[in-house]
């Protein structure tokens, strides 16, 4: 009696094997699950409006009577406007200035500051101060608005209401 044996495959049934993609998905499953909410928010708030805007560009949108497909008529209307050429020219000019001034000048300043032997700390503070100053001013304005002698309480006093201690009263703060 001649018996032949068939080896049992560890990958499962015949024809189904774990590919490299399946192994990679299985290995990184938790990472993909953690990134899923951010990806869904990204799609919902960035890509969906872009896609809807593209679809709506081929339609006449009327919220009362509904939308009507009009093809390229919206694009024809836009490009017949004489101000479009000027707007494109201004946009390209602004983009060029942004590339030249917005990227290269700060890089050159950073290199120059890092090469300073004296006053390097002062130069770093002077360069970074414009980023910090608006926050400090905003904090000061916010505190002034809600101060007991600030404009909100002054308005309340003129209206005949009692002043409110926004920053010190636990019910309001």
């Amino acid at each position: 009696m001649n018996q032949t044996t068939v080896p049992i495959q560890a990958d499962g049934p015949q024809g189904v094997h774990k590919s490299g993609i399946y192994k990679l998905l299985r290995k990184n499953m938790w990472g993909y699950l953690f990134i899923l909410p951010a990806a869904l928010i990204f799609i919902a708030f960035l890509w969906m409006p872009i896609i809807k805007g593209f679809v709506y560009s081929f339609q006449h949108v009327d919220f009362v009577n509904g939308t009507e497909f009009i093809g390229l008529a919206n694009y024809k209307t836009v490009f017949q406007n004489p101000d479009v050429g000027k707007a494109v020219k201004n946009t390209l000019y602004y983009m060029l200035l942004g590339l030249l001034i917005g990227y290269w000048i700060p890089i050159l300043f950073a290199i120059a500051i890092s090469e300073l032997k004296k006053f390097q700390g002062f130069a770093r503070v002077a360069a970074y101060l414009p980023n910090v100053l608006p926050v400090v001013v905003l904090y000061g304005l916010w505190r002034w608005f809600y101060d007991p002698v600030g404009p909100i309480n002054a308005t309340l006093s003129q209206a005949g209401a009692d002043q409110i201690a926004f920053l010190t009263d636990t019910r309001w703060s």
Side-chain angles (χ1 to χ4, degrees), residues 70-135:
I70 58 172
L72 296 173
N74 286 334
Y75 289 99
K76 183 179 176 184
T77 303
V78 167
F79 287 116
Q80 285 178 348
N81 188 338
D83 294 334
V84 170
K86 186 175 183 179
V88 169
K89 179 183 166 192
N90 289 342
T91 302
L92 291 174
Y93 179 69
Y94 182 75
M95 184 179 70
L96 178 68
L97 288 178
L99 285 172
L100 294 177
I101 297 171
Y103 296 114
W104 296 110
I105 302 285
I107 289 172
L108 293 175
F109 272 115
I111 292 170
I113 289 172
S114 69
E115 295 296 323
L116 285 176
K117 300 294 181 202
K118 292 182 179 182
F119 304 111
Q120 187 178 36
F122 174 76
R124 286 181 179 172
V125 169
Y128 196 65
L129 196 59
N131 293 320
V132 178
L133 199 57
V135 177

Side-chain angles (χ1 to χ4, degrees), residues 3 5-6 19 24 31 33 38 43 50-51 74 80 91 93 99 104 143 149 162 165:
Q3 293 182 345
T5 60
V6 177
S19 66
L24 185 66
L33 287 176
I43 290 169
I50 290 172
I51 292 169
N74 286 334
Q80 285 178 348
T91 302
Y93 179 69
L99 285 172
W104 296 110
R143 190 163 176 187
V149 292
D162 293 334

Side-chain angles (χ1 to χ4, degrees), residues 17-34:
H17 63 283
K18 293 183 180 178
S19 66
I21 294 173
Y22 179 76
K23 287 180 183 178
L24 185 66
L25 287 173
R26 182 103 169 129
K27 179 182 174 186
N28 299 324
M29 178 184 67
W30 284 106
Y32 294 135
L33 287 176
F34 279 116

Side-chain angles (χ1 to χ4, degrees), residues 14 59-60 77 91 169:
Q14 185 73 19
Q59 298 175 350
H60 173 72
T77 303
T91 302
D169 188 1

Side-chain angles (χ1 to χ4, degrees), residues 54-62 65-75:
F54 181 72
V55 170
Y56 288 156
S57 72
F58 297 106
Q59 298 175 350
H60 173 72
V61 179
D62 187 358
N65 299 324
T67 60
E68 174 189 355
F69 180 78
I70 58 172
L72 296 173
N74 286 334
Y75 289 99

Side-chain angles (χ1 to χ4, degrees), residues 145-162:
F145 274 119
Y146 292 106
D147 196 65
V149 292
I152 294 175
N153 277 320
T155 305
L156 289 173
S157 295
Q158 288 177 351
D162 293 334

